Amino acid sequence: MLTREENEFLCRTDKGTPMGEFCRRFWTPVLLSEEIPEPDCPPVQSKIYGEELVVFRTTSGKVGVLKEFCPHRRASLFYGRNEEEGLRCAYHGWKFDIEGNCTDMMSEPADSNFAGKVKILAYPAQEAGGFVWAYMGPPELQPPMPQLEYLTVPENQRKTNKVLYESNFVQVIEGEIDTVHASILHSRLDALEKSATATTLAGRYSYRDIAARFHVEDTEGGILIGAKRNAEEDSSYWRISRWLFPWVTMIPREPHGSCRSGLIVPIDDENCWFYLCRWNPYGPLDEEWNEAPRSGMVPGTWLGKANSTNHYLIDRQAQKTETFSGIPSAMGRAQDAAMTDSMGRIVDRTEEHLGTTDTAIIRMRRRLIMGARELEDGIEPYAASHPEVFKVRSGGALLPREVYFKDDPVVWDDITVA
């Protein structure tokens, strides 16, 4: 468990907080690219790390990320006109480019030079992997983009999505790196019975040996997590996942299967965005992806139709006869959200009683806290300025009993026992 002080330190990300400053050292997704689909389309609001932003696409197709409120009289630029390479405030017509320069003031005399003296806060922005990214840290420390594999694969090899969580970002990360809950919370009551004929390693072995043994290793980018289960007499099933600074997760996958990553970004201290990317490193991603489908969202929002206002549509009869939780799986990642959000907006970790399968969660918290504390002491995060540490995947493998998993995707994909 953490102390109350440690918990506050871990969860608060507003500007000026230690964890907020740490997170701002990394490029951060602020929107899906599809939310600003064409030049001069309507701007979109986005709140990240407690800061209200407005995101827009210019006439030439570039993206801009500005502070939402016009520096004239503080009207919201969300209502502005997106035209001719800039966003113009609807109140008095002050216009700003993607670098925050005021390029025109309709309300000032033609011979005024006041526009040249006014700027709005603008963050460097770029698109990659179907996301709009912003760098919100000190300008002189702007790092390269992380070398996440899915940022560079062809568009037909990835799919993106996002979901709103009504809880702090850290407890959502904890759910993502907790591989044991997948064979409990997400299970059907007949999962063990059907495991003998399952076509995936997860389906075959996750339910036979639920209490996995965890092996966690520190990496330059975060932590590597191996969860080991007994499989056949001569083999073990390893589920291999990752957490990367400060909020990137990669859940286990099947050998040679597609990959999935979650980027769990604070909106503020009590809400977060769960940005999703599924990608196939080997070719077109033609499989159906049912995680958080748009049809399962409240229209006009990114909140699942199954949410706290309706107890996540739990069906007690289904809980008795069909699924372990009774909560539908597709409506905004409802099963996970029900558990995470029900802890409270910021869970009180002084009340926890952690077990052996919480090893990865304990390590992630400590490394995240340590990173922010080192920054307070003037030590910049290594991972932020070394983009190559993000060039990794998660995995899954059936390995001989005497073979220990290691950080090598070739092992995960090629030494799988039949």
Side-chain angles (χ1 to χ4, degrees), residues 18-332:
M19 192 58 67
E21 294 306 307
F22 181 78
C23 288
R24 284 168 174 79
R25 293 308 204 264
F26 298 82
W27 281 92
T28 301
V30 298
L31 279 187
L32 299 176
S33 289
E34 66 183 71
E35 295 182 78
I36 47 171
E38 59 189 14
D40 292 334
C41 64
V44 177
Q45 293 166 305
S46 181
K47 189 176 183 183
I48 303 291
Y49 304 134
E51 295 187 47
E52 274 120 353
L53 308 171
V54 63
V55 187
F56 67 106
R57 189 182 298 280
T58 69
T59 310
S60 63
K62 297 177 182 178
V63 292
V65 177
L66 307 179
K67 188 173 183 177
E68 182 180 345
F69 304 104
C70 179
H72 178 207
R73 298 262 296 277
R74 302 283 294 162
S76 172
L77 290 173
F78 168 74
Y79 300 102
R81 297 174 59 87
N82 187 2
E83 58 185 23
E84 299 175 346
E85 296 299 316
L87 193 57
R88 189 184 293 275
C89 182
Y91 200 5
H92 294 92
W94 288 22
K95 184 178 177 182
F96 301 91
D97 64 17
I98 62 173
E99 295 179 350
N101 301 305
C102 185
T103 59
D104 187 47
M105 288 182 173
M106 295 174 67
S107 60
E108 292 295 308
D111 60 352
S112 171
N113 65 355
F114 188 32
K117 301 177 181 179
V118 175
K119 283 182 72 80
I120 190 171
L121 178 62
Y123 289 119
Q126 56 182 298
E127 289 183 273
F131 303 107
V132 175
W133 301 74
Y135 173 68
M136 301 172 67
E140 69 279 9
L141 296 176
Q142 180 178 322
M145 283 286 290
Q147 291 180 13
L148 292 160
E149 183 176 41
Y150 48 90
L151 303 189
T152 56
V153 298
E155 191 170 346
N156 69 346
Q157 290 180 218
R158 67 169 177 261
K159 295 180 181 179
T160 59
N161 199 359
K162 77 177 187 181
V163 181
L164 172 65
Y165 268 77
E166 298 177 294
S167 51
N168 181 264
F169 82 111
V170 179
Q171 59 210 66
V172 180
I173 292 174
E174 291 168 352
E176 276 291 283
I177 63 175
D178 172 14
T179 189
V180 166
H181 88 273
S183 52
I184 301 174
L185 173 67
H186 301 315
S187 68
R188 298 187 62 83
L189 298 182
D190 59 359
L192 179 59
E193 177 185 341
K194 291 185 174 181
S195 64
T197 57
T199 58
T200 64
L201 295 184
R204 197 181 313 163
Y205 298 114
S206 292
Y207 307 103
R208 298 187 194 179
D209 185 9
I210 291 176
R213 277 71 66 196
F214 275 75
H215 302 262
V216 181
E217 298 179 4
D218 289 345
T219 68
E220 292 177 331
I223 57 175
L224 176 67
I225 306 160
K228 179 183 179 182
R229 290 174 167 87
N230 293 321
E232 307 302 334
E233 288 186 4
D234 61 347
S235 61
S236 299
Y237 171 47
W238 289 88
R239 287 175 60 80
I240 303 160
S241 52
R242 292 186 182 272
W243 167 74
L244 303 169
F245 288 110
W247 28 245
V248 179
T249 61
M250 295 182 185
I251 63 171
R253 65 185 177 93
E254 291 293 304
H256 296 288
S258 62
C259 307
R260 205 275 262 147
S261 180
L263 303 104
I264 301 152
V265 176
I267 297 172
D268 51 32
D269 293 341
E270 298 187 345
N271 303 273
C272 63
W273 290 121
F274 194 119
Y275 291 99
L276 288 144
C277 184
R278 185 173 290 281
W279 79 101
N280 183 356
Y282 310 107
L285 184 65
D286 49 17
E287 66 189 67
E288 186 177 357
W289 187 24
N290 291 321
E291 187 171 6
R294 307 297 167 84
S295 60
M297 304 291 185
V298 176
T301 79
W302 299 97
L303 178 66
K305 289 180 180 177
N307 57 62
S308 59
T309 65
N310 53 33
H311 295 291
Y312 301 88
L313 298 177
I314 187 170
D315 182 335
R316 295 296 186 180
Q317 183 59 29
Q319 190 177 41
K320 284 186 176 183
T321 60
E322 298 177 28
T323 66
F324 193 86
S325 71
I327 298 170
S329 61
M331 295 187 182

Side-chain angles (χ1 to χ4, degrees), residues 356-375:
T356 59
T357 60
D358 297 309
T359 302
I361 290 167
I362 294 167
R363 186 76 63 88
M364 178 276 297
R365 292 175 184 174
R366 291 299 178 190
R367 294 215 70 196
L368 196 51
I369 288 171
M370 182 180 297
R373 284 184 171 155
E374 287 179 345
L375 183 60

